[in-house]
Every structure is written in structure tokens, then in C-alpha cells.
Amino acid sequence: MPSKDPKNLCVACKGAEPCATIRNRPLCQPCFISFADAKTARRMANYRPQRDAPPAKLLLPLSLGASSSILLNMLDKLRERQLSKNPLGAGFDLYVLVIDPSSISPQLPSVKAHFDAAKEHYPSHTYSIVPLHSIFDVDLDIKNTLGDFGFVDDESKSGADLLDSFRASISTATARADLDNLLLIRLVVAYARKYDCEAVVWGDSDSRLAAKTLANVAKGRGISLTWQIRDGPSPWGMQFCFPLRELYRSELDLYVEQTPKLQSVVVPNTQQAESLSTRDLSIDALMNQYIVTHGEKYPGVMANVVRTADKLEQDNSPTSDPECSMCSAPLQSQGSIAVHGNDTNRLCYACLRSRDDIRVSNA
Ligand SMILES: [Zn+2]
Ligand SMILES: [Zn+2]
């Protein structure tokens, strides 16, 4: 048998054929997986086992897309490693929360089989699946917030009907995606509180964080940018952590390909963004599409977008200063921005812009 040419071997272990070239380095399957796992483990340094403290409770919002499923897979492995090495036990416990997509849009397919596969493959964690409208049960301020958007409805309606009519009253794709996103974050934070978690671990990749940064600036949400992309406190008094922030979208796709266990968990991406006309897309969807089509060619530029935004100094701790009733952005620093009358002064500039796209019914 001819000996293998070392030039064609994985640069890390020098013993196997590469499965891909990652950041200009040919890596074999096991070396690629450890490269990606190590990047995530480094971001989880705050959740190592502690001598005098019980494991931190962390909430992982699982969309059953590639990124959050990979995060579950990686944190499951990290926790197993902590348990096997450390007599103190694990540094964290995971509460996995799935928001039922059929409660967001009836057109979205059921995720039941994928949810069951996640529980079966990663059985050491606590799982829940909840509808979007359960926000009325766990976030008691949400009705007042919808009132600030000029939305008043029959109080006797069910949570599901209230939410349906609120979302149906939003006339543009951008405002709908913007408000849906804020409702999802508030729902996740409310459940994190309910389960007594100290932090939320989000599955956003570097590419996704870059798309979020660009979309937020375009939507006038620059001020609230930092907590949406940076490890640390959020305005709701809950820590946010983005352990996949150093991995590119293409690397996450490869990770799923190279991890058979994940293939039954991840819901195939059926969103046919390309088939939609640009006019029907929200700013968020456009930015995602932009990152997918252009960002992959220039991953370094995307990493720079996130690193630059990450350096913005912004104290996100909750304060007693007035804040937006929807997104908790501080209202004070926006004094120069005109508000449309006294009833709107609980909303920030960006939320007011979304409010402009709501058709208030005469009912
Ligand atoms: Zn190798
Ligand atoms: Zn706001």
C-alpha cells in the first residue's frame, strides 16, 4: 500500500484524510468537530463546575434549526465531559424550550418528531414545548404593552385569538418580523424566570449575529443592539450568552452533515426565501438572505461587523430610568425624537416605527 502523502492529511492530527478546509486548514472529521466544540466550550467558561455552588440553570431556546440544535449537542457533550472529569458534578443544567412553530404560523409543519428525537438523543435535560400565546400566562405586562401599540381587544378572547388579531393588524413584513422577534424574546425570558434560570444561551452563529446587527441598525434599533449580540446582562435582568458566536454558518452546516445524531433533530430548512419577491421580505429576512448569499464569500467581514458592534459601550443592566414597554430600550436618551402624543411615550423610536404599521381597528 502506498504511504499517504503528508501534504494531503489533516493538519491537526496528521493521520487522516481531511473532510473539509476550515479557515484555510484541511481538517479531518474528528478534528473539525473538536475545533468547533472547543470554540463553544471557551465561550462557556463562566459555567464550569463550582466548589460551593449548585450548577447554574440555563435556558436554551431550541428552534430545531441547525444552530440551536448544534448548541444543544455541544452543551450536552460539554456537560458530560464536566460530569466525567469532575467530582463536583456539572457546572450547569439545561432547560430546553421549544416554541411550537404551528402557534406562530399554521403553515409551518409540526416539529413533534424532531422534538421527540432531541429528547431521545439528549435525555439529561428538562424539555418543554409551549405555544407563542402562552406569553399571556407568563408575561403579565404584555397586555399593557399591546395597549401601548394602540391595540385594544375584547378582554374575554383567548390568548391565542388576542395574539392572532394583534399580529393580523400589522401591515408590513418588517414590522411583523420585528414585533414577532420581540415577543419571542420576551416569552423566552419569561420562561427562563419561571424555571429560575440565571441565563439564556442563544444559538446564534457569527453569521446570524452579523445579520441581526445590520437589520437592527436599519430598523433604528441601534441603541438596543448590544444586548442582542453580546454576552452579558439584558435589560430584563437576565444574562444572555451566545456560545456559537465564533462559528460561521457554513461551519454549522458542515457540523450537522458530520453528526448523524443531529440529522433527525434538525428540521430541514424549507424557507424558500429565494422564491419570495424582495418586496415581501422583512428587513430581517433580507439581511439573513444577504448574509447567506454574500457573507459566506467574505466571512472575515461578517466577523468584523459583530466584533465592532460588540465593542459598543452600553450598560444593559435594568435601571429605574424610563424604558420602552416593548423592548426595554432606555427612553431618556431619545429625548430629541418626537413622539406622537402622550399615549406613545412608553415606546422607543424603533417600536414607534413598528407601531406606525399597525392598522388600529374601529371595533
Ligand atoms: Zn485530524
Ligand atoms: Zn422599544
Side-chain angles (χ1 to χ4, degrees):
M1 213 168 82
S3 65
K4 290 176 187 166
D5 181 351
K7 281 204 291 275
N8 297 328
L9 291 175
C10 164
V11 294
C13 66
K14 307 203 164 46
E17 304 254 338
C19 72
T21 299
I22 302 298
R23 308 188 193 196
N24 301 322
R25 300 172 74 233
L27 293 178
C28 70
Q29 191 267 1
C31 290
F32 162 66
I33 297 286
S34 9
F35 155 85
D37 288 351
K39 285 221 172 279
T40 300
R42 258 203 305 281
R43 306 299 314 194
M44 292 292 290
N46 287 346
Y47 303 108
R48 294 200 184 106
Q50 303 291 326
R51 185 167 299 281
D52 302 314
K57 292 182 184 174
L58 305 179
L59 188 103
L60 190 164
L62 179 67
S63 70
L64 296 160
S67 303
S68 56
S69 306
I70 289 172
L71 183 60
L72 173 60
N73 176 85
M74 287 175 164
L75 296 190
D76 181 77
K77 279 198 278 182
L78 178 62
R79 195 170 169 279
E80 289 302 315
R81 248 194 334 271
Q82 291 180 341
L83 282 172
S84 68
K85 276 192 192 159
N86 202 302
L88 299 171
F92 60 92
D93 286 333
L94 280 186
Y95 288 73
V96 180
L97 180 75
V98 173
I99 298 165
D100 183 359
S102 68
S103 71
I104 301 171
S105 164
Q107 284 112 316
L108 293 170
S110 162
V111 294
K112 176 84 175 61
H114 301 271
F115 179 68
D116 291 344
K119 285 203 287 190
E120 190 192 320
H121 289 311
Y122 311 103
S124 333
H125 319 295
T126 308
Y127 288 82
S128 333
I129 184 162
V130 301
L132 182 58
H133 57 79
S134 65
I135 192 165
F136 290 106
D137 307 325
V138 287
D139 183 335
L140 301 177
D141 292 329
I142 197 72
K143 274 196 182 164
N144 290 334
T145 302
L146 299 191
D148 292 333
F149 277 80
F151 180 77
V152 186
D153 208 339
D154 183 354
E155 284 284 316
S156 62
K157 272 191 182 175
S158 70
D161 288 344
L162 276 177
L163 200 59
D164 280 351
S165 36
F166 173 68
R167 293 169 75 229
S169 68
I170 307 170
S171 62
T172 62
T174 290
R176 197 171 312 120
D178 186 49
L179 293 175
D180 274 354
N181 179 44
L182 286 167
L183 290 173
L184 285 173
I185 295 171
R186 282 182 62 157
L187 183 64
V188 166
V189 168
Y191 274 99
R193 258 199 217 113
K194 184 178 150 97
Y195 298 139
D196 207 18
C197 294
E198 66 179 67
V200 178
V201 282
W202 299 95
D204 303 61
S205 63
D206 171 83
S207 317
R208 175 82 190 103
L209 291 173
K212 241 159 90 168
T213 304
L214 299 176
N216 272 324
V217 171
K219 291 186 296 182
R221 290 205 177 279
I223 194 135
S224 65
L225 190 67
T226 51
W227 62 259
Q228 290 202 31
I229 61 157
R230 179 181 190 180
D231 290 0
S234 69
W236 293 283
M238 180 67 58
Q239 295 286 320
F240 281 3
C241 177
F242 301 90
L244 299 185
R245 64 181 315 127
E246 290 177 23
L247 293 166
Y248 305 145
R249 161 88 185 250
S250 53
E251 293 165 349
L252 297 184
D253 290 342
L254 180 66
Y255 196 98
V256 175
E257 255 174 65
Q258 301 291 336
T259 312
K261 213 165 145 178
L262 276 170
Q263 281 149 24
S264 56
V265 176
V266 175
V267 177
N269 191 5
T270 49
Q271 201 196 350
Q272 298 297 322
E274 304 81 24
S275 67
L276 284 167
S277 78
T278 308
R279 191 167 44 94
D280 297 328
L281 285 176
S282 65
I283 287 176
D284 298 78
L286 268 176
M287 285 306 154
N288 268 329
Q289 207 185 7
Y290 176 78
I291 299 290
V292 171
T293 49
H294 295 85
E296 296 303 320
K297 285 181 231 154
Y298 314 104
V301 176
M302 296 306 141
N304 241 334
V305 168
V306 179
R307 266 200 296 273
T308 306
D310 197 25
K311 282 186 205 141
L312 295 172
E313 291 289 331
Q314 171 82 30
D315 181 6
N316 295 314
S317 317
T319 64
S320 54
D321 295 338
E323 44 184 48
C324 174
S325 90
M326 180 54 136
C327 74
S328 288
L331 293 178
Q332 210 180 26
S333 46
Q334 307 187 7
S336 59
I337 291 157
V339 287
H340 312 177
N342 288 337
D343 61 331
T344 55
N345 61 7
R346 274 164 45 92
L347 294 178
C348 71
Y349 170 64
C351 288
L352 278 174
R353 279 182 24 171
S354 283
R355 187 190 132 119
D356 286 344
D357 290 340
I358 291 183
R359 289 179 302 251
V360 181
S361 71
N362 298 321

